[in-house]
Amino acid sequence: MQSIADEESLESLLSRYRGGDAGAFREVYRRTKRLVYAYLRRRLRQTSDVEDVFQETYFRVHKYIATYDPTRGGTTWILSIARHAMLTRAAELKKSAATAGPHLTDDLAGTESTAEGVEIKGLLTDLCRDLSPDEIDLLYQRVFLDVGFDVLAARHQTSEANTRQRLSRLMRKLRSNWGS
């Protein structure tokens, strides 16, 4: 036999939760947790990032429940919160990577005396000289941070297809610069 909660719409449950019904939140979570986790898993590579953003999503659902508009789809509202949490996480990773940037130079500094170290530093210097800051940023986010094309497209305010094409052209440019 189905319970009343199983028959109730997600929008109605969110409205009840907005009114202070903790039981409604448990049902919202039960119904949406697999969808939200799968959504994040498709977009984030690291399991730890998926789990962190997943938790942040439901924290934000709680934090922003007072702003929920019952005329909006409940699933859409929750997934938009997940998307924003994911973008915030990507920005945090980018910021921490930028802060860690000088350490890469420090790590390479110890290899300067070897032929391999000199070659790597030379290639990196040549590579950066031929790339625009936007190209470096796109390459860094996709290759080193493993940011999804959908997220990159949103950040660069373009389509996912355009982002894929830009990255493909950038990779051809790198190959031609490196003589591969």
Side-chain angles (χ1 to χ4, degrees):
M1 180 173 190
Q2 285 188 324
S3 70
I4 293 173
D6 287 338
E7 297 171 7
E8 194 171 3
S9 72
L10 186 60
E11 293 76 16
S12 175
L13 287 166
L14 285 167
S15 293
R16 281 185 32 219
Y17 178 55
R18 187 179 63 189
D21 184 348
F25 175 77
R26 284 190 290 276
E27 183 62 20
V28 166
Y29 177 77
R30 186 189 68 75
R31 286 190 191 183
T32 60
K33 65 183 177 183
R34 285 189 182 105
L35 174 69
V36 171
Y37 195 87
Y39 173 83
L40 296 171
R41 187 72 185 129
R42 282 190 308 268
R43 287 161 177 77
L44 299 167
R45 301 282 177 156
Q46 299 293 326
T47 302
S48 61
D49 291 335
V50 172
E51 291 170 1
D52 289 346
V53 174
F54 181 80
Q55 289 178 1
E56 179 66 19
T57 298
Y58 285 99
F59 171 76
R60 289 180 182 196
V61 165
H62 175 72
K63 181 177 180 180
Y64 297 115
I65 191 63
T67 66
Y68 173 67
D69 176 3
T71 62
R72 262 182 95 182
T75 303
T76 302
W77 185 71
I78 290 173
L79 289 178
S80 70
I81 289 173
R83 181 178 177 277
H84 284 95
M86 182 175 51
L87 292 174
T88 300
R89 175 69 172 189
E92 289 167 354
L93 290 173
K94 181 179 176 183
K95 183 178 178 182
S96 68
T99 304
H103 301 296
L104 174 62
T105 307
D106 295 343
D107 292 343
L108 290 174
T111 63
E112 284 180 317
S113 60
T114 67
E116 182 182 17
V118 171
E119 183 179 3
I120 290 171
K121 285 193 94 168
L123 287 171
L124 287 173
T125 301
D126 291 342
L127 176 66
C128 291
R129 191 175 317 143
D130 294 336
L131 298 180
S132 72
D134 189 52
E135 288 173 325
I136 292 169
D137 184 56
L138 180 63
L139 180 67
Y140 177 76
Q141 288 180 42
R142 179 65 189 144
V143 175
F144 294 101
L145 296 181
D146 204 21
V147 174
F149 287 102
D150 56 336
V151 175
L152 291 172
R155 283 190 190 150
H156 292 267
Q157 298 176 342
T158 187
S159 70
E160 193 172 328
N162 184 314
T163 302
R164 287 179 186 277
Q165 186 175 31
R166 284 185 64 209
L167 194 60
S168 176
R169 288 177 181 160
L170 177 57
M171 295 306 287
R172 281 195 302 270
K173 181 178 179 180
L174 292 174
R175 282 187 210 106
S176 70
N177 288 350
W178 282 8
S180 299

